[in-house]
Amino acid sequence: MSIKGRRVIVTDGNVDKALRKFKKKITDQNLLQELRDREQYVKPSVQRKVDKGLAKRRWQKYLRDQSLPKNLF
């Protein structure tokens, strides 16, 4: 990872705008998520179970979105 691109220049004393830009850069680079993932170690077997559960949720959501609504009459 390079340090280039993590700086935000504050212009006209507008710190709020600079903070919004900084947060957007951090989320675009997934740095915050990576930091949270590295805070504690997760065993590979547990990570597989978590990933499988997330995949199952995504699939159920996909199926739910694809089904037709019930006729309420």
Side-chain angles (χ1 to χ4, degrees):
M1 292 189 317
S2 65
I3 297 177
K4 186 177 183 181
R6 292 190 200 162
R7 292 186 187 170
V8 176
I9 299 172
V10 179
T11 55
D12 298 330
N14 196 349
V15 178
D16 293 332
K17 185 175 181 181
L19 186 61
R20 282 197 308 268
K21 283 185 179 184
F22 179 71
K23 285 182 180 180
K24 181 152 179 66
K25 283 187 178 190
I26 294 296
T27 55
D28 286 346
Q29 294 174 358
N30 268 346
L31 292 176
L32 193 58
Q33 186 62 39
E34 184 179 338
L35 179 68
R36 287 181 180 156
D37 291 342
R38 289 177 182 237
E39 282 182 354
Q40 61 183 4
Y41 178 73
V42 179
K43 293 188 341 184
S45 60
V46 174
Q47 185 63 42
R48 279 194 301 271
K49 288 180 183 180
V50 169
D51 290 343
K52 192 172 184 178
L54 292 174
K56 187 175 179 181
R57 277 191 193 167
R58 283 193 307 269
W59 180 249
Q60 288 173 348
K61 182 180 178 183
Y62 171 76
L63 291 178
R64 187 174 56 241
D65 291 344
Q66 294 299 317
S67 66
L68 295 174
K70 294 181 180 180
N71 292 334
L72 302 174
F73 56 88

